[in-house]
Amino acid sequence: MRVDVVTIFPEYLAPLGLSLAGRARDAGLLDVHVHDLRSWTHDRHRTVDDTPYGGGAGMVMKPEPWGEALDAVLPDGATLVVPSPSGEPLRQALARELAGREHLVLACGRYEGIDQRVVEDAATRAEVREVSVGDYVLNGGEAAALVIVEAVARLLPGFMGNPDSLLEESHEDGLLEYPVYTRPATWRGREVPPVLLSGDHGAIAAWRHEQAVRRTAERRPDLAHPARAVTSGDLEGHL
Ligand SMILES: Nc1ccccc1-c1cnco1
């Protein structure tokens, strides 16, 4: 997969060169290119924003630099991902969908956003997905871009050392993850649940599923379990 990121803060995306994403790059699974939007400005002040039509506070990112930038880095048929507080929520299903694309271009907006005509123009020749990473306000799309790239890149075949580890992760099966433990067996007077030391793999799997169901019902009743909605009945006598 090739990923291009356009931003006015290219240094913000430096972590993409480290750790997981860095390893993926070295393995040739991920080819990341970061571009400074101001490369496509032509005035002395390298202007990227202006006041909003219709008035209101803040500034809007001008269409011209974005249009030229996307003409340069967004090939026809690629997927433009625009981090946005008004985008579709990033969930594991969307991460999986984006992991199937050959080429992602991320447009990181700042200020009050990017002139809407930029998205409309790109949509005439590319898939455009406005994506939210959560219901809270950020100063710009860069932090969201890091989240999106990591969530997508780790799903690329060959990216994770042990692909089986992807199967049991939170949200992969619609449930939150069960609690995990490691040595020592007793720590500050707290014991590891005995079932985990029993060697009874069936009992361990059952305990882990029950813990995942319990956590999901307690913390995220909004998550619909693929098999069935998690209900209080699942926890009858457990809570
Ligand atoms: N708040 C923001 C401001 C600018 C670009 C993206 C966001 C965003 C993305 N997901 C949540 O917020």
Side-chain angles (χ1 to χ4, degrees), residues 1-2 41 72 87 95 119 145 153-155 157 168-169 173 184 237:
M1 175 185 284
R2 176 168 171 140
T41 60
V119 166
R154 63 193 304 281
L155 296 176
E168 285 197 332
E169 293 181 326
D173 59 0

Side-chain angles (χ1 to χ4, degrees), residues 18-62:
L18 310 175
S19 72
L20 229 49
R23 259 193 7 237
R25 280 168 51 148
D26 299 345
L29 296 170
L30 191 62
D31 181 20
V32 179
H33 301 261
V34 179
H35 310 271
D36 185 342
L37 176 67
R38 295 188 198 274
S39 307
W40 289 280
T41 60
H42 309 291
D43 62 305
R44 191 155 59 93
H45 298 292
R46 313 191 81 196
T47 309
V48 294
D49 63 328
D50 199 343
T51 54
Y53 276 121
M59 301 288 273
V60 173
M61 298 193 94
K62 294 169 58 63

Side-chain angles (χ1 to χ4, degrees), residues 5-191:
V5 186
V6 182
T7 168
I8 59 172
F9 293 118
E11 65 280 6
Y12 202 112
L13 282 296
L16 288 183
L18 310 175
S19 72
L20 229 49
R23 259 193 7 237
R25 280 168 51 148
D26 299 345
L29 296 170
L30 191 62
D31 181 20
V32 179
H33 301 261
V34 179
H35 310 271
D36 185 342
L37 176 67
R38 295 188 198 274
S39 307
W40 289 280
T41 60
H42 309 291
D43 62 305
R44 191 155 59 93
H45 298 292
R46 313 191 81 196
T47 309
V48 294
D49 63 328
D50 199 343
T51 54
Y53 276 121
M59 301 288 273
V60 173
M61 298 193 94
K62 294 169 58 63
E64 299 96 325
W66 276 110
E68 290 186 31
L70 295 182
D71 287 350
V73 307
L74 178 70
D76 289 2
T79 298
L80 177 65
V81 175
V82 184
S84 165
S86 51
E88 62 185 292
L90 178 66
R91 294 204 176 95
Q92 196 62 9
L94 176 55
R96 275 198 295 271
E97 184 183 347
L98 294 177
R101 300 295 194 269
E102 282 299 313
H103 191 167
L104 299 182
V105 175
L106 285 98
C108 298
R110 283 262 145 182
Y111 311 109
E112 300 312 308
I114 302 172
D115 186 299
Q116 188 60 28
R117 291 169 291 181
V118 172
V119 166
E120 291 166 4
D121 179 64
T124 63
R125 61 189 186 81
E127 175 189 24
V128 178
R129 307 296 284 267
E130 295 189 49
V131 178
S132 167
V133 295
D135 294 335
Y136 36 78
V137 181
L138 302 171
N139 288 329
E142 286 78 9
L146 288 173
V147 168
I148 294 165
V149 171
E150 174 152 336
V152 170
R154 63 193 304 281
L155 296 176
L156 297 177
F159 188 97
M160 297 293 283
N162 172 8
D164 289 349
S165 63
L166 293 174
L167 298 176
E168 285 197 332
E169 293 181 326
S170 278
H171 304 293
E172 267 305 331
D173 59 0
L175 290 173
L176 300 184
E177 257 175 349
Y178 46 79
V180 291
Y181 301 81
T182 188
R183 285 184 285 261
T186 302
W187 178 70
R188 293 187 180 179
R190 297 177 186 276
E191 304 289 327

